[in-house]
Amino acid sequence: MDRVTLSDVALRARVSLATVSRALNQPALVRDSTVRRVREAAADLNFRPNLVGRNLRARTTRTLGVVLPTLANTVFADCFQGIERATRLQHYSVMLTTTEYRVEDELAVTEELLRHRVDGLILTVANAAESPVLDMLDQEKVPYVLVYNQSRCPQRQTVSVDNRIAARDAVGHLISIGHRSIRMVTGDFRESDRAQLRYQGYRDAMRAAGLVPQLPVEVPLHTAVASGALAQCLRGRDPASALFCSNDLLAISVVSGLLRLGLQVPDDMSVVGFDGVDLGTLLYPALATVVQPSRDIGGSAVDTLLARLRGDVPGRSVVLDHSLRIGETAMRFAPRPTSHAVRRPNRRN
Amino acid sequence: MDRVTLSDVALRARVSLATVSRALNQPALVRDSTVRRVREAAADLNFRPNLVGRNLRARTTRTLGVVLPTLANTVFADCFQGIERATRLQHYSVMLTTTEYRVEDELAVTEELLRHRVDGLILTVANAAESPVLDMLDQEKVPYVLVYNQSRCPQRQTVSVDNRIAARDAVGHLISIGHRSIRMVTGDFRESDRAQLRYQGYRDAMRAAGLVPQLPVEVPLHTAVASGALAQCLRGRDPASALFCSNDLLAISVVSGLLRLGLQVPDDMSVVGFDGVDLGTLLYPALATVVQPSRDIGGSAVDTLLARLRGDVPGRSVVLDHSLRIGETAMRFAPRPTSHAVRRPNRRN
DNA sequence: ATGAAAGCGCTAACAA
DNA sequence: TTGTTAGCGCTTTCAT
């Protein structure tokens, strides 16, 4: 499949192997005419440099490893594309692995990446506060940057939004438009320390407004939200008028679940998500959500990591701005005169 | 960051470098007690085999390259996860790159993968019938398998559903439930030869039923579908009663667009997608669609490619089964008595 | 400006 | 069963 090596090119260009290497990689060191001759020979032979050889000798692979929980959530897919683009710009490559939320696999897939001698890692772990992978990486002094995760230890560099404040803003918005009974819906907390931070933010916002935070409604992700879980938010003497969901996929699922129960969104119940996946804007009603700049998170992680590989000063964690997307699934709270659903005409085009 | 090599382990285990290699990779060739000693030494030293060295020597990387258009469409994300899982099972690794639908980048990213000396490639190209990348790969005899793409040349191995027949089935279903005026909505044909095949299938079904196929409505993907495009389907003396979309993301966008125009789905217009992304089942109304087994497509591509790398007989292209998901966005066509929209109560629980 | 030579970490003959 | 040795393809001193 591939046989041409540097020495083949050298033979054809009538120079030494070393000169070919230089002509290709540091043409400034080589006479112009020689460079041309070498390039020509390389082109003639269809020479394709073998990075494995280069990587072994150079003891660096110019490759970054990436560990993400899943690609089914486009938040991570977008992040990866941001990573890919940034690495390409810097002439680096990237190896991606996903854990599909199996925490127990995080270590193994990371080890595999290290066997490939990636120069550094970009990863999202389930729980940065208690993570065998991160402990291992710290101990072995492997350069890495966390994305989405936030960490208390300042030496663990992260790139993320401020999840807690972002959640607080979202819930604060709901409060500011009149909601008083707001519940939070989350996936499995063990899968995501972000969800926990967002729950903190929910509590912050509730307390700041003198409201009583409720326990979160935990629903298994990646499955249609059972009506039972939703019923939990509707019953009691203080039924919710708004739901804050720990991510967009969940929010979308919740909206559907409510509609299925015969409720109107946002008329009967407002829903706000978290992530800002593009998909949210394609839906009707468009999802209200907290937008994270996922591509930038990826891009910024690459920049941060490469700076570190270059030996720059460690640098602080990066907190990127979030924003609120005022979608159509959240509206001002106005108590209904009657308890039975009232039909609402479809709005404007 | 990482310094321990085979010879360090050899020193500590008091055996030769070669024995360490054997003990680790072919323990059957080594005395049990020695294997134990070596393993212990390796563990003590935290030895992590350097695959770069191995790959150079072995002249094979046990790594597959993957080229996909995007991960924003979960069809491809799922496929990748299928690939990843299968490769892991076979003790292979994988390098992923996406083109983000930039056809002109397909060649460059593939070349990069080849510089890394991946053993073979799994890819989806914009158009398999006219693809510089595939020509190059054929010429250089690089083993590869196409996913999603279908190809006329039998020596180009593919793993896919039968797009044309699948589309024909979907449209046939619409016809069977009473629709007569059906239009197809597609993204940019140049981005996807699958969309073209599906259009063929649409025509097949229409003709088979004695109906006149219409030209497709092409809309730029990844953006909310402009109402102008939809209006095209609604006006004229023969307005459509059903829309067949070339993929699910588009279909979701179309449904939203219709709702925004004040129409009901499926009452005023049925919509059917193609892909079968999980998301479709989370929506309300749940998306009617043609389901492709994306994970299996990925897994099967790996199996096919590895078989080929092992030198097995080339083997035929794999056509996996599709299925129809009878969602809630498509319903029996029953002409409306009046032309203005009629409110419909929300259905079942 | 160019060449000779060493060696990155590993595997696989070939010997013993 | 184990050790010795020769590279895989490349970069990089060190000479010239």
Side-chain angles (χ1 to χ4, degrees):
Chain A
M1 146 178 177
D2 219 67
R3 324 244 94 245
V4 187
T5 73
L6 267 196
S7 76
D8 296 323
V9 180
L11 236 55
R12 180 167 238 264
R14 302 169 162 285
V15 291
S16 78
L17 190 157
T19 301
V20 176
S21 174
R22 280 189 289 250
L24 262 27
N25 303 313
Q26 312 163 67
L29 302 182
V30 178
R31 191 193 297 149
D32 272 15
S33 65
T34 312
V35 172
R36 271 195 298 278
R37 209 141 42 86
V38 169
R39 288 207 175 126
E40 199 172 325
D44 291 351
L45 294 175
N46 236 303
F47 173 66
R48 182 179 291 132
N50 183 332
L51 291 184
V52 181
R54 194 211 73 97
N55 291 347
L56 180 58
R57 168 65 222 231
R59 319 178 80 218
T60 163
T61 54
R62 295 187 73 82
T63 299
L64 304 182
V66 178
V67 179
L68 295 174
T70 182
L71 294 175
N73 187 332
T74 51
V75 148
F76 296 116
D78 288 346
C79 175
F80 175 74
Q81 305 237 22
I83 290 172
E84 202 188 349
R85 176 154 195 290
T87 50
R88 197 127 67 208
L89 284 175
Q90 308 270 6
H91 306 291
Y92 268 68
S93 298
V94 72
M95 284 191 86
L96 168 70
T97 47
T98 61
T99 62
E100 307 201 54
Y101 284 112
R102 288 184 301 264
V103 184
E104 66 279 12
D105 285 5
E106 287 178 353
L107 214 148
V109 304
T110 306
E111 287 280 1
E112 177 70 9
L113 256 13
L114 293 177
R115 280 193 283 274
H116 279 286
R117 291 303 188 271
V118 295
D119 291 344
L121 288 161
I122 295 174
L123 54 182
T124 298
V125 297
N127 184 351
E130 186 178 354
S131 166
V133 209
L134 299 187
D135 294 342
M136 180 272 279
L137 295 176
D138 286 340
Q139 188 191 324
E140 311 213 4
K141 303 205 193 317
V142 179
Y144 69 90
V145 172
L146 295 172
V147 281
Y148 297 103
N149 294 115
Q150 296 182 260
S151 172
R152 311 190 79 83
C153 349
Q155 67 271 36
R156 284 190 174 166
Q157 262 183 299
T158 64
V159 176
S160 70
V161 297
D162 189 316
N163 284 283
R164 184 163 178 171
I165 291 183
R168 200 197 60 191
D169 288 353
V171 176
H173 172 71
L174 285 171
I175 293 171
S176 76
I177 59 176
H179 292 276
R180 288 292 169 272
S181 180
I182 305 168
R183 297 204 61 166
M184 179 152 175
V185 184
T186 75
D188 189 337
F189 268 164
R190 284 164 306 185
E191 280 182 352
S192 165
D193 52 9
R194 286 80 69 205
Q196 298 178 40
L197 289 170
R198 293 168 197 168
Y199 179 59
Q200 299 294 329
Y202 158 80
R203 299 209 298 185
D204 293 344
M206 292 297 275
R207 293 213 175 101
L211 301 171
V212 182
Q214 305 291 306
L215 288 177
V217 183
E218 278 194 70
V219 303
L221 198 49
H222 306 311
T223 100
V225 172
S227 51
L230 289 179
Q232 215 185 114
C233 309
L234 304 170
R235 66 172 170 237
R237 44 185 161 60
D238 184 26
S241 71
L243 300 176
F244 173 52
C245 305
S246 64
N247 68 60
D248 278 356
L249 247 35
L250 190 55
I252 290 168
S253 191
V254 162
V255 169
S256 306
L258 291 167
L259 296 176
R260 255 199 185 76
L261 289 172
L263 295 173
Q264 297 278 324
V265 174
D267 306 62
D268 298 320
M269 182 79 84
S270 286
V271 177
V272 174
F274 197 113
D275 279 347
V277 298
D278 288 344
L279 175 66
T281 65
L282 298 183
L283 299 178
Y284 180 83
L287 188 65
T289 190
V290 177
V291 182
Q292 310 194 62
S294 287
R295 279 191 83 100
D296 293 346
I297 288 177
S300 178
V302 171
D303 295 343
T304 305
L305 183 53
L306 290 186
R308 187 140 144 211
L309 292 177
R310 255 181 247 112
D312 296 10
V313 284
R316 307 276 300 110
S317 282
V318 178
V319 178
L320 297 177
D321 288 337
H322 63 272
S323 65
L324 250 48
R325 183 189 290 154
I326 311 292
E328 298 162 339
T329 56
M331 76 177 306
R332 180 166 298 281
F333 177 63
R336 285 300 181 72
T338 68
S339 67
H340 64 272
V342 176
R343 291 277 151 260
R344 174 184 57 96
N346 276 311
R347 291 159 300 175
R348 66 215 136 268
N349 47 334
Chain B
M1 144 177 179
D2 218 66
R3 325 244 93 245
V4 186
T5 74
L6 267 196
S7 75
D8 296 323
V9 180
L11 236 55
R12 180 167 239 265
R14 302 169 161 284
V15 291
S16 79
L17 190 157
T19 300
V20 177
S21 174
R22 280 189 291 249
L24 263 26
N25 303 313
Q26 313 165 66
L29 301 183
V30 178
R31 191 192 298 149
D32 272 15
S33 64
T34 312
V35 171
R36 270 195 297 280
R37 211 142 40 88
V38 168
R39 287 207 176 127
E40 199 173 325
D44 291 351
L45 295 175
N46 236 301
F47 173 65
R48 181 179 291 132
N50 183 332
L51 291 184
V52 182
R54 194 211 75 98
N55 292 346
L56 180 59
R57 169 63 221 230
R59 319 180 80 218
T60 163
T61 54
R62 295 185 73 82
T63 299
L64 304 182
V66 177
V67 180
L68 295 173
T70 182
L71 294 176
N73 187 333
T74 51
V75 147
F76 295 116
D78 288 345
C79 175
F80 175 74
Q81 306 235 21
I83 290 172
E84 201 188 350
R85 175 152 196 291
T87 50
R88 197 127 67 207
L89 284 176
Q90 308 270 4
H91 306 291
Y92 267 69
S93 298
V94 70
M95 285 191 85
L96 168 71
T97 46
T98 62
T99 62
E100 307 201 54
Y101 284 112
R102 288 183 302 264
V103 185
E104 67 279 13
D105 285 5
E106 286 178 354
L107 214 149
V109 303
T110 306
E111 286 280 1
E112 178 69 8
L113 256 14
L114 293 177
R115 279 193 284 272
H116 278 286
R117 289 305 187 270
V118 295
D119 291 344
L121 288 162
I122 295 173
L123 53 183
T124 298
V125 298
N127 183 352
E130 185 179 354
S131 165
V133 208
L134 299 187
D135 294 342
M136 181 271 280
L137 294 177
D138 285 339
Q139 188 193 324
E140 310 213 5
K141 302 204 193 316
V142 179
Y144 68 90
V145 172
L146 295 173
V147 282
Y148 297 102
N149 294 114
Q150 295 182 262
S151 172
R152 313 190 78 82
C153 347
Q155 67 270 36
R156 284 189 175 168
Q157 263 183 298
T158 64
V159 177
S160 69
V161 297
D162 189 317
N163 284 284
R164 185 163 176 170
I165 291 184
R168 199 197 60 191
D169 288 354
V171 176
H173 172 70
L174 285 171
I175 294 171
S176 77
I177 58 175
H179 291 277
R180 288 293 169 272
S181 180
I182 304 168
R183 297 205 61 168
M184 179 154 175
V185 183
T186 75
D188 189 336
F189 268 163
R190 283 164 307 184
E191 280 182 353
S192 166
D193 52 10
R194 286 82 68 206
Q196 297 178 40
L197 288 170
R198 293 168 197 167
Y199 179 59
Q200 300 294 328
Y202 158 80
R203 298 209 299 187
D204 294 344
M206 293 296 277
R207 293 214 175 101
L211 300 171
V212 183
Q214 305 290 306
L215 288 177
V217 183
E218 278 194 70
V219 303
L221 196 50
H222 305 312
T223 98
V225 171
S227 52
L230 289 179
Q232 217 184 110
C233 310
L234 303 171
R235 67 173 170 237
R237 42 185 164 59
D238 183 27
S241 72
L243 300 177
F244 172 53
C245 305
S246 63
N247 69 61
D248 279 355
L249 247 36
L250 190 54
I252 290 169
S253 191
V254 162
V255 169
S256 305
L258 291 168
L259 296 176
R260 263 208 176 70
L261 289 172
L263 296 173
Q264 297 277 326
V265 174
D267 306 62
D268 298 319
M269 181 80 83
S270 286
V271 177
V272 174
F274 198 113
D275 280 346
V277 298
D278 288 343
L279 175 67
T281 65
L282 298 183
L283 298 180
Y284 180 82
L287 188 65
T289 189
V290 178
V291 181
Q292 310 194 64
S294 287
R295 280 191 82 101
D296 293 345
I297 288 178
S300 178
V302 170
D303 296 343
T304 305
L305 184 53
L306 290 186
R308 187 139 144 212
L309 292 177
R310 257 182 248 112
D312 296 9
V313 284
R316 308 275 299 110
S317 282
V318 178
V319 177
L320 297 177
D321 288 337
H322 62 272
S323 64
L324 249 48
R325 183 189 289 155
I326 311 292
E328 299 162 338
T329 56
M331 76 177 306
R332 180 167 298 281
F333 178 63
R336 284 302 179 72
T338 66
S339 68
H340 64 272
V342 176
R343 290 279 150 260
R344 172 185 59 94
N346 276 312
R347 290 160 300 175
R348 67 209 135 273
N349 62 331

